[in-house]
Structure formats: C-alpha cells, structure tokens
Amino acid sequence: MKKTIVIGAGASGLLACISSLKQGRDVLLIEKNEKAGKKIYITGKGRCNVTNNKDISEFFDYIPRNKEFLYSSLYSFDNKMLINLLSQNGLKLKVERGNRVFPESDKASDVTKTLLKICKKYDNFSVIYNSPISDLIIENKEATGVILKNGRKYYADKVILSMGGKSYKATGSNGYGYKLLKKYSHSITKLSPGLVSLITKKDFSNLSGLTLKNVNVTLYENGKKICEKFGDLLFTHTGVSGPVILFLSLYIKENKSYSISIDFKPALDKNTLEQRLLNDFAKNSNKNVISAFDLLLPKNLARRLINESNIDISKKINQITKEERTILLNILKNFKLKIDSKGGFNEAIITMGGVDVKEINPKNMESKIIKRLHITGEMLDVYATTGGYNLQIAFSTGYAAGKE
Ligand SMILES: Cc1cc2nc3c(=O)[nH]c(=O)nc-3n(C[C@H](O)[C@H](O)[C@H](O)COP(=O)(O)OP(=O)(O)OC[C@H]3O[C@@H](n4cnc5c(N)ncnc54)[C@H](O)[C@@H]3O)c2cc1C
C-alpha cells in the first residue's frame, strides 16, 4: 500500500490526511505537540469561524495575495464540500453575520475532534504526537521521508508539509517549516505579521478597550490613499485594533510611512454633520463645548478629541468661533493618526508571505523543486482577510495535497 506522511496536525494537515486516506493510502500523521489542532482551538475567539457560506466564486474578493494560485484547490474542495464533510460526521454548523460558519456548539475543539474522528475511521491511519521533525530525507531531488528530532526516521512515497506559519508560536507553528524549505532551495517571500493591530505614534492608552461601531477608516501610504474600510474599531493600550484595522494591516509594508484617517460619523456627510453640530450648539449655547461633543461620541473619546483640537474644554459653546467649529468638524470626519508599526507575530492572526507559489503545482501542492514533497496551508505565500477564508484555504490546499 502506498504511504503518505503528513507533518502537522492543524487544519491543513488533517484534511491532507482525510483526502489521502480516501485514496486508500497508508497515512502517518506526525505532530510536535501533545495533541492535534492547538491553533484551531483559539480560532474565532475559541468558536472557530470554520469557513464562509458565500458562493466559492466570491472568496477570491477576500484573498489579496496570490488568489489565482488557489482557484484549483478552492474549487476542487470548496466550502460546501467542507460543510458536508463536517455535518455528515456529526458536527452541526450554523451561519452567522457575514455568512461566517461556526460549530453550533460554539466550541472550536469540536472541529478538531470531528476531523480526527474521520481519520480514525480508517485502519490505515496512525498518528504520533510529541514528535517534532527536524529534517527531510531527500534522495535524487525526491522526498522519501522525514527525520524526527530524536533521530528516528520514517519513509513514505509522499511527504506533505502542513507545518503552519509563524504566528502564535505557542500553538506549534514557529516558522520552522520555512527554514527547512529554504535549506532545500525553496524561495521564501518576505514574512510579516498580518491581521494584526496597529501601533500608533500617539498614546491612546486612556481609551484602551473602547470599541466604536460603524466607523470608516482610510489608510494612507506615504501620504497617498491606498484603501479604506467600514466597520468596528477598537482602541488598545498601544494603538488601534478591531476588524477594520486587522483588514488594513494586510496593506502595511516595511520601510514606508503610514497614517490612518478615522471618519467617526460616516453616515453623515460634512454638510449634514455641520448642520447637526450647529443645532446641538444652538440648544446648548451656555454649556461647555464638551457637552455638545458628548452628544455625538462616547464621553472619554469626546474629551480626548477636544484636547486634540487644542480648544479649551471648558470654553462655552457661544464663544466657539467659526474656525474652531471647522476644526471640530474635521476632527469628527477626518481624524488623522500616524502609524508607528504593526503588532508582532505573537498576536498576528496570520503570517503574510511564505513559500513562493511559483515553485508549487497549484493542483496538488507538489513542490516543483523536490518531487513527492507537498506544501500546504499557511506555509504558502497566500492569505485572506477575516471571515473564515484562511481556514478554508488551509483545508482546501491540504485536501489537494492528499489527493492522487
Ligand atoms: C488567534 C487566531 C484566530 C484565528 N481565527 C480564525 C478564524 O476564526 N477563521 C479562519 O479562517 N482563520 C482563523 N485564523 C487563521 C487560521 O487559524 C490559520 O490560517 C490556519 O490554522 C492555518 O492552518 P495550517 O494547518 O496551515 O497551520 P496550523 O493550524 O498552524 O498547523 C500547523 C501544525 O504543524 C505543527 N508543526 C509545526 N512544526 C512542526 C514540526 N517541526 N514537527 C511536527 N509538527 C509541527 C504545529 O504544531 C501545528 O499543529 C486564526 C488564527 C489565529 C492565530
């Protein structure tokens, strides 16, 4: 019987096992942790946004990096096939806002349990834990096996590397897969943290924990607008985060200067907002300026923004000049913040960059440099925004590698 070795019991490795087992192969899964799915466990805040229920053709709008490479694998094992596989094996799923799919139990661990249960249905499946691999066995540019850290060797007809990226290394993915492949002449594109918070030059720690719903944030690179996003923003002890910021972080490169502009009131155009300010001012003309701002924003943010405007917070509304009103209006519609840097790999949801996809066959994830070696999931230079797309990429590329 033909034998497959899969390295890494994460999302991608487990699907690689399942599709290999379906081909009637002998499968050995090797995982360095004491159990499978440590990263799956923390996905979706412990609930695992396992995929998205949109039509698969729409997925590509959410994949900013190398989407063409993923056409074959995403169409061959799409979100509906994943949903069927999980539901037919007893995992009830539900669809939430934005078509995001979660287990009905809200437990990410149920996803791993179900995938392992499927593997264990096959007699020709075996798994070893606490077994980090240290090297590959390559003969005449063909992968024939792996070597564990303890020196043990395992041989197979096909080796699938599903060792993950470089973020949240406590889950097992510490970037070792990239180092290993570099040694065997694979090109690794620049690695950087993605879907991560942004650190601002100014200190916003007094607003830490404050979430703003439905704001519009524009990202500027060297002063030029590059993209904008509408949604929720969170102030942190070092800067800004939340869905809008995680999305924008995908566009931040090294050695460029970035700033964001927050529109706190995107539903109102400048004229309408000015009218609203004038009305609020007229009703409260004997009060301090802060009382009019408190009507528009959470109190601590209102205070901070007035401070930023350099207008005396205790100034009476009837003393506010037209120029000062314009400053306040601009702060509400176009609040500029300089970005210092991105958060690090320890808090990044994904690794941007990875194995250059030009060196990989998109149909079965086989390396074009080393035959019989397949590379899947986050190790590859592909990534998507939040919404269940990254896990689907891991599942689909894993499935493609296990086939044939
Ligand atoms: C906090 C957080 C939340 C997220 N939430 C979501 C979400 O809700 N939806 C979504 O789509 N995506 C989410 N993601 C992204 C998603 O988790 C990843 O894209 C996906 O897990 C990648 O799967 P993978 O199989 O490629 O890698 P991993 O899941 O990281 O698996 C790699 C496996 O390889 C093992 N391994 C590594 N090195 C070795 C070695 N030397 N020897 C043996 N084994 C090794 C690791 O221990 C690990 O088990 C989230 C990520 C994070 C960090």
Side-chain angles (χ1 to χ4, degrees):
M1 190 186 276
K2 285 202 165 174
K3 185 162 181 170
T4 304
I5 291 178
V6 178
I7 311 301
S12 205
L14 288 167
L15 262 292
C17 289
I18 293 170
S19 71
S20 248
L21 289 163
K22 284 189 173 176
Q23 301 295 311
R25 284 174 161 257
D26 221 6
V27 174
L28 170 64
L29 173 61
I30 302 179
E31 166 58 49
K32 77 176 199 190
N33 288 330
E34 71 291 358
K35 60 178 181 185
K38 272 203 167 177
K39 187 167 269 179
I40 294 178
Y41 190 71
I42 59 165
T43 56
K45 300 201 169 97
R47 301 199 303 127
C48 187
N49 177 194
V50 71
T51 187
N52 196 287
N53 204 34
K54 286 191 181 76
D55 191 85
I56 195 72
S57 60
E58 292 178 49
F59 270 50
F60 302 98
D61 297 340
Y62 299 85
I63 303 176
R65 184 80 180 160
N66 288 324
K67 62 177 133 203
E68 298 81 6
F69 173 80
L70 292 168
Y71 286 157
S72 171
S73 56
L74 282 177
Y75 275 109
S76 304
F77 183 75
D78 66 12
N79 49 345
K80 304 290 177 216
M81 290 165 87
L82 175 75
I83 290 168
N84 282 342
L85 179 76
L86 294 171
S87 350
Q88 280 161 10
N89 285 282
L91 184 71
K92 288 192 177 144
L93 297 166
K94 60 179 173 181
V95 181
E96 294 193 359
R97 187 170 54 90
N99 288 307
R100 293 173 310 151
V101 181
F102 291 88
E104 219 174 80
S105 64
D106 283 330
K107 281 192 196 153
S109 55
D110 285 349
V111 174
T112 309
K113 272 188 205 154
T114 308
L115 295 173
L116 269 178
K117 186 173 98 182
I118 302 169
C119 293
K120 287 177 181 165
K121 279 186 184 171
Y122 295 84
D123 293 336
N124 40 331
F125 171 72
S126 52
V127 51
I128 51 173
Y129 294 112
N130 299 307
S131 304
I133 66 145
S134 61
D135 210 346
L136 304 171
I137 305 170
I138 313 276
E139 292 163 18
N140 301 324
K141 295 202 171 171
E142 290 197 5
T144 56
V146 295
I147 308 174
L148 299 198
K149 221 171 162 186
N150 63 15
R152 247 183 125 152
K153 292 180 180 166
Y154 291 91
Y155 291 89
D157 310 285
K158 172 171 179 171
V159 176
I160 302 177
L161 296 185
S162 308
M163 295 161 74
K166 217 185 145 173
S167 76
Y168 277 83
K169 68 174 181 212
T171 62
S173 49
N174 59 2
Y176 186 66
Y178 303 127
K179 278 193 194 148
L180 196 57
L181 287 169
K182 218 170 175 177
K183 178 170 143 188
Y184 291 106
S185 307
H186 262 290
S187 318
I188 309 297
T189 61
K190 173 110 195 89
L191 304 173
S192 72
L195 296 176
V196 73
S197 64
L198 298 180
I199 297 162
T200 50
K201 294 217 189 234
K202 271 191 184 164
D203 179 11
F204 279 90
S205 51
N206 64 333
L207 297 179
S208 176
L210 175 70
T211 298
L212 300 175
K213 296 227 168 281
N214 303 331
V215 296
N216 198 68
V217 184
T218 308
L219 179 71
Y220 294 87
E221 183 184 275
N222 297 339
K224 204 173 134 213
K225 175 178 167 177
I226 47 172
C227 59
E228 64 182 304
K229 184 82 179 157
F230 173 83
D232 299 352
L233 176 144
L234 166 76
F235 284 99
T236 68
H237 58 291
T238 52
V240 280
S241 188
V244 167
I245 298 297
L246 297 187
F247 173 84
L248 296 177
S249 74
L250 294 178
Y251 294 87
I252 293 201
K253 302 180 205 112
E254 255 178 32
N255 305 324
K256 305 244 160 123
S257 85
Y258 290 92
S259 61
I260 56 169
S261 152
I262 308 173
D263 181 351
F264 293 106
K265 295 286 163 198
L268 306 176
D269 64 32
K270 224 170 174 176
N271 289 339
T272 318
L273 186 62
E274 184 166 28
Q275 204 48 55
R276 162 94 195 257
L277 259 189
L278 283 170
N279 291 344
D280 289 348
F281 278 13
K283 280 187 215 147
N284 299 284
S285 64
N286 286 322
K287 291 189 182 158
N288 293 342
V289 59
I290 188 67
S291 51
F293 246 49
D294 279 350
L295 298 172
L296 288 163
L297 295 166
K299 280 199 164 58
N300 43 357
L301 176 64
R303 230 149 274 260
R304 176 65 192 258
L305 293 186
I306 299 272
N307 281 338
E308 292 287 328
S309 74
N310 290 325
I311 296 170
D312 179 359
I313 203 152
S314 59
K315 200 166 183 181
K316 293 270 181 286
I317 285 174
N318 55 22
Q319 295 167 337
I320 295 284
T321 62
K322 188 162 184 278
E323 288 70 37
E324 285 172 330
R325 205 175 64 233
T326 308
I327 292 173
L328 293 174
L329 191 62
N330 279 338
I331 274 192
L332 286 170
K333 289 298 284 176
N334 183 15
F335 182 57
K336 291 234 165 76
L337 277 179
K338 284 198 172 134
I339 301 302
D340 183 64
S341 54
K342 290 196 278 191
F345 280 110
N346 53 340
E347 54 155 312
I349 289 179
I350 54 156
T351 302
M352 292 162 68
V355 177
D356 192 334
V357 296
K358 287 200 236 38
E359 298 169 356
I360 305 291
N361 178 343
K363 289 207 159 48
N364 60 4
M365 305 298 139
E366 188 174 17
S367 159
K368 291 178 184 170
I369 295 173
I370 305 160
K371 281 202 184 119
R372 289 154 61 180
L373 181 72
H374 300 246
I375 299 156
T376 76
E378 206 168 326
M379 293 184 81
L380 298 165
D381 181 13
V382 289
Y383 54 78
T385 64
T386 54
Y389 309 106
N390 283 299
L391 275 172
Q392 182 67 50
I393 291 173
F395 292 134
S396 296
T397 53
Y399 199 88
K403 268 188 339 193
E404 293 179 7

